[in-house]
Each structure stands twice: as C-alpha cells, then as structure tokens.
Amino acid sequence: MTATSVLLSGCGGDSADHASAQAASSASASSSAKGMDGMAGMDMGDPSATPADKIPGATVVKGAFTLLDTRPPGMDDVAGSAWLAQGSKGTTVTVSLTGLKPGASYMAHLHAQHCSAKNGGEHFRFEKGGATTPPNEVHLMFTADKSGMGMTTVNNSRKTGKDAVAIVVHPSEAQDNRIACADFDF
C-alpha cells in the first residue's frame, strides 16, 4: 500500500489525497488488471475492451511513446503507442507497448503537460484539486505477457477535451521510474 501511495505521488499526485488509492492498491494487488473485483468506480483497464482507435464516431488522437531518462535499467527497448478517443460515451484510452519485463505490472496515467515538460508533469484530473483516483483521473493498469507486450483499454464517462495532452507509463512497483511518455496531438 505504501509503495503505491509513493508511486502515485511520485508520478505527480499529492500523497495526502491517496487514502482511497491505497485501498485500491490493496485490492488490485490481489486481482488482475482486468478484474479489479470490488473496485466499483475504479475502472483501470480491460485488455478485451474495444480499443480507443476502434470506437465508432469518436475523435481519436494517437501518440508514440518515447523513452524517459527516469526509466529503470533494462527498459531501453520499450516502444509503443497510445490512443485517446472522445465520443458520445466519454473518453476511451488504449496503450500498447512492447519491450516490457514479462509478467511485470505497469500503470499509466493521463497527464496535463506534454512529455517535454517535466516528463508530463502533473496527472490530468477532470476536477482540478479533486480526487487522485478514478474516475477523476484516468489510470490504466496492465501486466506484460511472456513476450513483454502489454495492452489495455479504459473508459471514462467524461470527456477530457484537449486538457489531457500526454500519457506516462511506469512499473507498478517503482516509486518514480517513469518509463515512457506519449504526447497526444490534437
């Protein structure tokens, strides 16, 4: 629990707001990234959901992940893309990465600044100063398969507009090791 609180605060959140994130972390540690049993309102991804770039009638932006200097050792081959779609049902975000550590868990967050500004800066929040957990933030949790590929999709009933301009991915167990960032070009 403490590691997730530190991790979330290291990725730009405020650790004082993370009591519910700690509870979510505790629940997620014993469930898969897809299942998230008992976490109503805390949707953090479903690898079998319709990917953002396949949402009918949505406006879609795509970003390519670039490596960050804060990445942990052994992450030099990470590459991939992210998509953010906005349509009649809100916002859908999909990440797809390769070069990850097989079997390791990862988390991604939408960010309010571009990758060049403090590696994405603060997390994007629908209500600034509000909760640092879903549904006020968009979090994606996933586990890399045996080949080191990870992919998931998350939905949020609200639209980000043009305020969520980047997405950052990092290991779930790391404290502030941002691996890669992708900018969304609106």
Side-chain angles (χ1 to χ4, degrees):
M1 263 195 285
T2 302
T4 298
S5 178
V6 172
L7 170 69
L8 290 171
S9 65
C11 193
D14 176 357
S15 60
D17 293 332
H18 290 301
S20 58
Q22 290 176 355
S25 167
S26 182
S28 69
S30 61
S31 65
S32 70
K34 180 179 177 183
M36 307 310 283
D37 294 332
M39 296 183 63
M42 300 284 283
D43 184 11
M44 291 194 263
D46 180 353
S48 64
T50 302
D53 62 325
K54 307 286 187 215
I55 302 293
T59 301
V60 180
V61 289
K62 179 181 179 181
F65 280 103
T66 57
L67 294 174
L68 299 174
D69 292 339
T70 55
R71 69 186 178 277
M75 299 269 103
D76 295 340
D77 295 328
V78 173
S81 297
W83 297 263
L84 185 147
Q86 296 182 78
S88 62
K89 295 184 179 179
T91 301
T92 300
V93 180
T94 300
V95 295
S96 178
L97 295 126
T98 59
L100 301 169
K101 181 180 175 186
S105 295
Y106 297 88
M107 183 177 273
H109 308 276
L110 288 181
H111 280 251
Q113 295 179 335
H114 289 284
C115 299
S116 61
K118 300 180 186 175
N119 294 335
E122 299 279 326
H123 291 183
F124 164 81
R125 293 183 192 164
F126 289 99
E127 294 176 28
K128 293 179 187 200
T132 59
T133 56
N136 195 43
E137 288 193 1
V138 177
H139 295 192
L140 296 91
M141 290 191 69
F142 57 97
T143 300
D145 67 15
K146 63 183 177 182
S147 71
M149 193 271 190
M151 180 177 174
T152 198
T153 297
V154 71
N155 298 296
N156 191 296
S157 63
R158 298 163 77 181
K159 293 183 183 182
T160 63
K162 295 182 179 182
D163 294 330
V165 297
I167 188 164
V168 175
V169 64
H170 51 80
S172 292
E173 78 281 351
Q175 294 181 6
D176 194 25
N177 293 65
R178 296 179 184 195
I179 299 169
C181 184
D183 284 325
F184 294 119
D185 227 357
F186 290 97

